[in-house]
Amino acid sequence: MRSLLLELMEEYVHSKNPKLMLRRSETVVERMLCNWMSICLYQFLRDSAGEPLYKLFKAIKHQVEKGPVDAKMKKAKYTLNDTGLLGDDVEYCVLTLQVLVHGEGPDVTPVKVLNCDTISQVKEKIIEQVYRNLPYSQRPKVDSVALEWRPGSTGQILSDMDLTSQKEGRWKRLNTLAHYNVRDNATLVLSRVLHTHRQIHQNQDSHEESEYDFIICSVCYP
């Protein structure tokens, strides 16, 4: 690996721009060297750099999620990257949801979200808060949980798309909390779902429909 690295450095110095070395991974040698250095850095990352890197990640994530984030394009109002800046002026407000986890007792977990968040984005924030003491590999996936809003004696299942989704020609908007008129301090129930054959067929039908209908979230316009 040392010989390969020296040869690659010499090649870039004589024929290419040295600053681009190991940036594009255009050759097999570059990919091998990148993987080799990643393996060598693993112990250092785990023992020394892992914690500050994770704190930096959480800080950036907190900053980005303070404002609207496009569910499809991932552009955000408070991003640190100019190319990922959300250009539309979206009105929003912060909501605190009282979340119950079905089958895990009566304890309620307060979760802060935005009323312009899509249902999948709300699920992500709820999972991150409710299961914050579990590693990511043991947390449930967004597609494996259902979210139910209980404004009164009856409950309503919330989803990104359903019969109430707004249509604008061939465009569809992803449902948000504002679409369902969910208010501050509302009680929501998070529960696990089992994928049955019927649900699989429904997902296939939805996938076929999406080939003809472009889908946008409520904070993104064509």
Side-chain angles (χ1 to χ4, degrees):
M1 299 303 296
R2 182 175 180 274
S3 300
L4 289 174
L5 181 59
L6 292 176
E7 291 177 3
L8 186 65
M9 292 171 60
E10 185 177 357
E11 179 183 354
Y12 267 88
V13 168
H14 291 310
S15 60
K16 299 181 181 179
N17 189 346
K19 296 181 179 180
L20 298 179
M21 190 179 71
L22 299 179
R23 286 191 177 183
R24 296 182 179 178
S25 298
E26 295 177 344
T27 65
V28 176
V29 174
E30 288 178 294
R31 296 177 184 177
M32 290 175 58
L33 288 171
C34 288
N35 292 334
W36 173 66
M37 286 190 290
S38 299
I39 295 173
C40 293
L41 286 170
Y42 173 75
Q43 192 70 28
F44 170 74
L45 290 174
R46 190 184 68 175
D47 297 340
S48 303
E51 183 176 351
L53 281 175
Y54 180 74
K55 290 181 178 179
L56 176 62
F57 162 74
K58 295 292 291 185
I60 295 175
K61 190 172 186 295
H62 175 74
Q63 173 68 16
V64 170
E65 292 182 349
K66 285 170 60 177
V69 179
D70 191 294
K72 291 298 180 182
M73 303 302 295
K74 305 304 180 184
K75 292 186 177 182
K77 181 176 182 179
Y78 296 115
T79 181
L80 301 179
N81 184 2
D82 291 340
T83 60
L85 182 64
L86 183 65
D88 298 317
D89 188 13
V90 181
E91 295 183 2
Y92 68 95
C93 64
V94 179
L95 303 178
T96 301
L97 304 178
Q98 307 300 328
V99 180
L100 286 166
V101 180
H102 180 71
E104 297 188 11
D107 295 336
V108 176
T109 303
V111 180
K112 289 187 177 296
V113 298
L114 304 179
N115 67 337
C116 64
D117 285 340
T118 65
I119 304 306
S120 291
Q121 289 175 325
V122 174
K123 288 181 182 179
E124 290 175 357
K125 293 180 179 180
I126 290 176
I127 290 173
E128 183 176 359
Q129 182 66 20
V130 172
Y131 300 100
R132 60 186 180 276
N133 294 326
L134 291 178
Y136 281 93
S137 59
Q138 297 180 18
R139 298 180 185 182
K141 307 299 182 183
V142 172
D143 295 336
S144 66
V145 296
L147 198 60
E148 181 182 4
W149 176 37
R150 295 182 178 178
S153 58
T154 60
Q156 181 179 5
I157 299 297
L158 308 183
S159 60
D160 284 335
M161 296 191 68
D162 55 21
L163 297 177
T164 66
S165 300
Q166 297 179 2
K167 295 183 179 180
E168 297 179 4
R170 297 181 62 191
W171 297 84
K172 287 185 178 180
R173 291 183 180 272
L174 296 180
N175 297 335
T176 63
L177 292 180
H179 169 78
Y180 288 107
N181 201 27
V182 177
R183 301 297 184 181
D184 193 30
N185 287 319
T187 300
L188 276 70
V189 179
L190 187 74
S191 58
R192 302 291 183 99
V193 296
L194 298 176
H195 293 283
T196 62
H197 293 291
R198 182 180 179 183
Q199 288 174 325
I200 293 174
H201 289 304
Q202 290 176 348
N203 291 337
Q204 291 176 346
D205 295 339
S206 175
H207 176 71
E208 292 175 359
E209 183 182 358
S210 65
E211 294 179 357
Y212 302 97
D213 292 337
F214 295 99
I215 303 173
I216 58 172
C217 67
S218 64
V219 299
C220 180
Y221 294 87

